[in-house]
Amino acid sequence: MTALKQINPPKNKIIALFYVLGGGALLLGITTGLLSFYLGHHLLYGVTREVPWGLLIVTYASFAIISTGLCIVAAIGHLFKAKTLEPLSQRALYMAIIAILAAFLAIGLELENPWRMAIWMVLSPNLTSNIMWMGLFYAVAVVLMIVEFVLGQLAQRKAAAVAAGLASVASVAGLVGLITDILANSNLGEVFGFINAKPYWYGPFLSIYFISNACLMGFSAIVFFTWAAYSMFGWEMDEPLQKALKTAGKFIGLFAALVLFLLSWWIVNALAGKVFGQYDTAKALVAGPYALNFWFFEVVLGILVPLIAAIVYKGREISAMAWAGLSAMIGGFINRYDLIVVPQTIPHYQQFNVVAPAELATKFYPYVPSVSEFLVFLGALGLICFGFVAGEHLFKGHIAKH
Amino acid sequence: MFKKFSQWLDSLEDKNEGVENLPSEERRRFLKMGLTITGVFAGGTLLSLVSKVDDVFGSIGGYSERYPYKPHYAMVLRVDRCIDCERCMEACRRTNHVPEYGWRTKILERHIPLGEGEWYREFMPILCNHCNNPPCVRACPTQATYKDSRTGIVRMDYRKCIGCKTCMVACPYDMRYFNEEKRAVDKCDFCWESRLSKGKKLTACAEACPAGVRIFGDLSDPESEVFQMVHSETRVVWVLRPETGARPNVFYTKG
């Protein structure tokens, strides 16, 4: 049995800030989203006919990818009994649930008629649609993750014999949950990968890219949130937890290297092949209007900082790896933004020497997130901040008692 | 630094002549050649479909024996006849109650390069291509958009639309918009609801066109004008963005 040891006074002001700012942002985001249904998305959101997927789809994809990554981290310890990583499993599972709920919040407020989804995805599902499968698998995965988490909590409060039974049921829920989560994530990749109208997306690459990113995000998030919890609440990290975090730190480096490998070939391929849409997108990223996003956020913050930190500190410096993890998550978010938005900004008829009408003859379709979109994004982020500190309070540091 | 990098990338691009810079005389020569060896440069998009019926079926390949729909609605656009009077757009707007912020059909003005500093103007009408392999239909999670099993028209069941806008992203032709009044994505339905289902034979745009640009009809009927144009051995016919595999039922030609 493990217990938390208080070695520093909790940083109550920071904890309160997480509650107030997180909760406030959540309320503001939900209010803005609800207002958009009443007034019309077209008045409040910056998306257009030509760029219909904006910041909120980016938010959804980013948080869903983080959730899948955390689910994988939780499974490595919980299900596959990798003892070293087991101390991270409880928090990883909890945060995976919070992250997917934040993703659902963003897409729920982005869809024009989410209530019709509940009816028509049941009565009239399109079996060839990746959106349909992604929605189904994520819905099943979140239920199974909650079942696994609740049973895990109950098991800790029961006698050993009962606890063993509950834990084995939780493991089954966890395993099926993991499989459905990965299926959901790969369908999320193929939502884009199947769209041959956007050659930059088209192909099986995106599902591979998304799952690789999920692993990077999962390890980054768990190192950051565990370190943040222990720093904020003033707890002492015991030996197994420190070892787990150091191992997770190394995985951050490993997956940052993998993502660097994948992104490099993606960009080189698109630039060299000169296929319409692929080339234009890659050029807009490396030497066009999105170059700052690409080089500074995606490459430096998203990949190089975590990679170099993992090499320099060999994953052992936990606070440095936590900041590197945060850097990876920020860079990862901008990567998702560029990945989703930029291919849509390439005009459909660019090859046709079109000079009019002006909105179709432009070099890039414009898209700037609106204030309302930004507020809804903050709402989803607020849910993660609020859920994180509430989880630490409610589940007392996510310490496994058996 | 990015600017220099951009210029370097541009310099790489310049080494490739590209099809869009071919002068029109060369194009004509190439087109003539195409009649025998099959191939044409169509305004930046390469497509091979001339001379033989099987090749004409470049976009509807596999259906040369039997069309999957009866009638199989299609449109042929004679682009060199278009004068950009926009009567088609107006007729569409009026007939199908298209709001100010949206459109179902549009006319693009192109400046096609002839040589150094020279170009000629061409107007190219665009509308839903009612593809045989419609990417929008595959992507829709609730079958709110579907391929009509009788006519092949890509239609909308507005009450099923959840507003995810995947169909808008998936369309290679930018042919869909979100209609706030219907709370659903809206698009051209070849005037099925407003005219064809009520016994009329032509779409509003085809009827309104004073220059005979838009030829609408049944591609499965050998007597129809669209059949004869698309199957003509001497006429150059092309579709837009054939590389997407959507296999459109809107064809382009000249003359």
Side-chain angles (χ1 to χ4, degrees), chain A residues 102-172:
Chain A
F104 285 162
L105 177 70
I107 203 166
L109 296 174
E110 200 275 342
L111 294 177
E112 299 268 359
N113 311 305
W115 53 89
R116 289 184 190 164
M117 192 167 61
I119 305 164
W120 296 109
M121 274 186 37
V122 178
L123 296 182
S124 173
N126 180 3
L127 301 183
T128 67
S129 163
N130 295 100
I131 294 257
M132 196 283 292
W133 288 110
M134 177 191 68
L136 176 70
F137 285 134
Y138 266 134
V140 173
V142 74
V143 170
L144 289 170
M145 281 194 285
I146 291 171
V147 167
E148 185 192 4
F149 186 79
V150 170
L151 290 180
Q153 290 297 319
L154 284 176
Q156 292 186 21
R157 290 166 175 74
K158 302 284 180 189
V162 182
L166 287 173
S168 60
V169 178
S171 293
V172 174

Side-chain angles (χ1 to χ4, degrees), chain B:
Chain B
M1 184 183 76
F2 294 141
K3 204 173 176 188
K4 278 190 178 170
F5 190 32
S6 178
Q7 283 166 355
W8 176 73
L9 280 172
D10 282 337
S11 75
L12 287 180
E13 199 173 16
D14 290 343
K15 286 172 191 164
N16 180 351
E17 281 180 26
V19 291
E20 67 276 16
N21 297 321
L22 273 181
S24 111
E25 200 179 326
E26 275 185 45
R27 279 170 199 249
R28 265 182 239 121
R29 260 191 282 136
F30 191 83
L31 288 182
K32 281 178 191 163
M33 195 165 67
L35 290 175
T36 48
I37 63 163
T38 307
V40 62
F41 280 101
T45 300
L46 177 67
L47 175 71
S48 299
L49 42 90
V50 267
S51 144
K52 291 185 305 218
V53 168
D54 282 352
D55 295 323
V56 173
F57 284 125
S59 107
I60 46 176
Y63 301 140
S64 51
E65 295 299 320
R66 194 175 67 85
Y67 282 91
Y69 309 105
K70 188 71 191 171
H72 187 118
Y73 287 120
M75 190 178 279
V76 180
L77 295 153
R78 294 191 276 197
V79 281
D80 56 340
R81 294 188 175 205
C82 181
I83 53 167
D84 196 26
C85 66
E86 297 190 358
R87 285 192 197 180
C88 51
M89 288 164 61
E90 189 46 44
C92 172
R93 199 175 283 285
R94 209 175 43 243
T95 307
N96 299 300
H97 311 292
V98 180
E100 277 302 311
Y101 55 82
W103 50 269
R104 288 182 173 197
T105 184
K106 200 102 178 158
I107 298 171
L108 304 183
E109 180 181 346
R110 302 175 62 198
H111 286 185
I112 298 161
L114 286 168
E116 188 74 37
E118 293 176 62
W119 46 265
Y120 71 94
R121 178 185 284 127
E122 187 176 276
F123 297 108
M124 184 173 90
I126 51 173
L127 69 161
C128 173
N129 284 244
H130 296 279
C131 310
N132 281 336
N133 183 25
C136 52
V137 169
R138 188 207 59 76
C140 176
T142 57
Q143 301 187 63
T145 191
Y146 61 99
K147 186 96 174 137
D148 189 294
S149 56
R150 201 165 62 83
T151 61
I153 294 174
V154 176
R155 295 177 59 198
M156 281 296 302
D157 184 345
Y158 298 113
R159 74 213 153 104
K160 288 185 185 175
C161 178
I162 65 169
C164 66
K165 300 176 183 171
T166 313
C167 57
M168 290 166 65
V169 179
C171 175
Y173 308 105
D174 190 22
M175 285 307 146
R176 293 169 162 266
Y177 73 98
F178 193 82
N179 186 308
E180 297 295 330
E181 291 72 32
K182 290 176 177 162
R183 282 205 82 95
V185 168
D186 188 37
K187 65 176 289 295
C188 160
D189 64 348
F190 270 160
C191 287
W192 175 262
E193 281 183 32
S194 54
R195 295 173 60 90
L196 300 190
S197 63
K198 293 170 183 162
K200 293 190 176 164
K201 299 287 177 204
L202 283 181
T203 62
C205 58
E207 190 177 78
C209 180
V213 175
R214 295 174 183 245
I215 313 298
F216 178 74
D218 176 5
L219 196 56
S220 67
D221 174 10
E223 301 301 314
S224 73
E225 201 176 352
V226 286
F227 180 98
Q228 284 166 11
M229 290 178 95
V230 168
H231 293 74
S232 163
E233 290 196 359
T234 52
R235 181 178 285 279
V236 177
V237 178
W238 66 92
V239 295
L240 303 181
R241 297 194 66 183
E243 75 281 2
T244 63
R247 299 160 86 194
N249 283 305
V250 169
F251 302 88
Y252 289 81
T253 189
K254 293 190 180 187

Side-chain angles (χ1 to χ4, degrees), chain A residues 336-353:
Chain A
R336 259 53 96 199
Y337 182 91
D338 291 345
L339 188 160
I340 292 170
V341 169
V342 181
Q344 295 177 77
T345 66
I346 309 301
H348 295 78
Y349 294 94
Q350 199 190 59
Q351 297 167 297
F352 290 81
N353 308 101

